[in-house]
Amino acid sequence: MTEMLAHDLREAGASISAHLFVQGFTYTGMIQRFMPEKPDSAWTSEQAVEYLVRRMSVGDFYILCPDNDVSAERDVKRVEWALGDITNNRPALSRWHPEFLDAFAQHEASG
């Protein structure tokens, strides 16, 4: 839906834009109820928003937000694999499916 909205806004010459934000592990008030202490791997909400605004300001549509645990390169590998779930008709989130664990590990380790 966001992709179509961004396309329609761009084609209409609108003065606003849409961006697809995929956040990493972000420590929010909702999570705080279950985890009283912020894990080292999580970003704060402020960090995630700052990253979002910075990426929007340079015109990025797809904004894949990192966290303190997963690198941008690893995120790219996961997105590439997830696209393969669609094109190869694998189960959703197949990287966690026992049948595909080894194949995903090889994909993630590839250069």
Side-chain angles (χ1 to χ4, degrees), residues 75-110:
D75 270 338
V76 167
K77 287 294 195 180
R78 289 177 176 181
V79 170
E80 289 171 346
W81 183 268
L83 181 59
D85 284 351
I86 296 168
T87 60
N88 297 304
N89 199 28
R90 294 188 300 241
L93 294 174
S94 68
R95 66 187 168 124
W96 295 329
H97 192 283
E99 181 180 342
F100 299 99
L101 289 177
D102 291 339
F104 175 69
Q106 287 177 351
H107 170 76
E108 196 172 36
S110 68

Side-chain angles (χ1 to χ4, degrees), residues 21-94:
F21 181 59
V22 181
Q23 70 185 51
F25 184 14
T26 305
Y27 189 68
T28 66
M30 288 176 20
I31 293 173
Q32 190 175 21
R33 292 184 300 177
F34 305 101
M35 300 174 138
E37 298 288 324
K38 183 185 95 50
D40 291 340
S41 57
W43 271 19
T44 65
S45 298
E46 293 80 11
Q47 287 174 296
V49 169
E50 178 183 306
Y51 186 83
L52 169 64
V53 171
R54 188 169 60 247
R55 301 315 317 160
M56 285 174 46
S57 71
V58 297
D60 289 356
F61 171 72
Y62 295 103
I63 302 171
L64 197 58
C65 186
D67 55 36
N68 294 330
D69 189 42
V70 178
S71 68
E73 294 79 17
R74 191 171 188 194
D75 270 338
V76 167
K77 287 294 195 180
R78 289 177 176 181
V79 170
E80 289 171 346
W81 183 268
L83 181 59
D85 284 351
I86 296 168
T87 60
N88 297 304
N89 199 28
R90 294 188 300 241
L93 294 174
S94 68

